Amino acid sequence: MRIDIISVLPELMESPFKASILKRAVEKGLAEVHFHQLRDWSVGKHRQVDDEPYGGGAGMVMMIEPIDKCITDLKSQRDYDEVIYLTPDGETLSQKIANTLSIKQNLIFLCGHYKGIDQRVRDLHITREISIGDYVLTGGELAACVLADAVIRLLPGVLNDEQSALTDSFQDNLLSPPIYTRPSEYKGLKVPEILIEDWLHEEAVRITQEKRPDILD
Ligand code: ADE
């Protein structure tokens, strides 16, 4: 999968892809994440990408021209399955949406800023609008990272068996059960007996499998 992220603050999004599971996904070539500084497509020497809204009112609006130029450039290089605008008025991100996006090849994420983007960008290019919750962030960058994380971890080969996405909360409309690890008692707080019994049984099976597979049912 390839994700192209368009933003006026790409540097805000670099670290999540430089650590742990997302880093490994990128290193293994399972996900490619490309950042694009929107100002590189601005016109004029001030690298302007926003302007005052027609009709007045507070706040600035992201201009159509740099965004259109940037998306048109990207689209001339490959086909995109979705051009997603991160915005608080989009559909709320869910595991179902992440699952759907995880089977796509090429995605563009557009991060909004200021009051939002010129409506004509939405009409012309945006195929899907996604919000990560009913609150307003300073821009779409953190939302883009959340969406990329939720999608990339579902790609085949990104998680190993132990981390398997199939046992995630929400994947089967069930929340995860409580989990425990050693020690079995900490400051009087005990791991439920039943789990210890299960663990002992699993260990017995494992050792038998290793040493005497002939006697296993
Ligand atoms: N941009 C600002 N707030 C946002 C949110 N809640 N979700 C997605 N993009 C946003």
Side-chain angles (χ1 to χ4, degrees):
M1 164 178 287
R2 175 184 169 116
I3 303 177
D4 288 275
I5 308 184
I6 305 168
S7 157
V8 287
L9 286 170
E11 64 275 15
L12 205 61
M13 295 178 283
E14 279 164 16
S15 64
F17 303 95
K18 287 186 177 161
S20 188
I21 292 171
L22 298 187
K23 177 182 177 187
R24 232 180 323 116
V26 171
E27 282 173 354
K28 280 181 168 177
L30 301 170
E32 270 182 53
V33 183
H34 298 267
F35 299 104
H36 304 281
Q37 169 54 266
L38 182 62
R39 291 188 196 282
D40 294 345
W41 280 269
S42 63
V43 280
K45 64 175 192 278
H46 298 299
R47 291 168 56 85
Q48 186 183 357
V49 291
D50 61 324
D51 209 337
E52 290 164 359
Y54 278 117
M60 301 290 268
V61 178
M62 288 174 79
M63 300 157 77
I64 183 169
E65 196 170 356
I67 301 175
D68 175 50
K69 280 185 159 37
C70 179
I71 294 178
T72 303
D73 246 12
L74 290 172
K75 281 183 172 173
S76 72
Q77 295 165 49
R78 66 196 63 78
D79 289 333
Y80 284 92
D81 300 288
E82 301 275 8
V83 181
I84 299 168
Y85 175 44
L86 282 309
T87 171
D89 48 21
E91 54 181 329
T92 308
L93 179 59
S94 62
Q95 191 60 49
K96 190 160 172 259
I97 294 176
N99 292 348
T100 307
L101 294 177
S102 72
I103 56 172
K104 310 289 185 189
Q105 274 306 307
N106 298 315
L107 301 172
I108 293 178
F109 293 177
L110 172 64
C111 304
H113 256 268
Y114 319 112
K115 270 310 242 199
I117 56 173
D118 189 305
Q119 178 61 37
R120 291 167 292 181
V121 175
R122 290 167 122 144
D123 301 340
L124 198 60
H125 289 297
I126 303 300
T127 59
R128 196 152 192 175
E129 305 196 352
I130 294 179
S131 160
I132 61 160
D134 287 343
Y135 42 83
V136 181
L137 303 167
T138 53
E141 284 75 13
L142 298 181
C145 291
V146 168
L147 179 58
D149 184 305
V151 170
I152 291 173
R153 66 187 290 284
L154 297 175
L155 300 177
V158 170
L159 299 185
N160 57 37
D161 274 354
E162 279 161 48
Q163 302 159 331
S164 171
L166 294 175
T167 58
D168 286 343
S169 284
F170 297 111
Q171 207 52 277
D172 47 12
N173 289 328
L174 278 180
L175 301 182
S176 299
I179 51 168
Y180 301 86
T181 185
R182 277 178 279 251
S184 62
E185 185 173 344
Y186 183 73
K187 292 188 176 173
L189 299 166
K190 291 184 180 154
V191 173
E193 275 308 321
I194 183 113
L195 293 180
I196 295 174
E197 282 164 24
D198 284 353
W199 181 77
L200 289 174
H201 179 69
E202 274 171 28
E203 283 295 281
V205 172
R206 186 180 62 78
I207 287 167
T208 313
Q209 187 110 50
E210 228 171 74
K211 298 187 172 164
R212 289 292 309 276
D214 57 298
I215 64 166
L216 265 185
D217 263 342

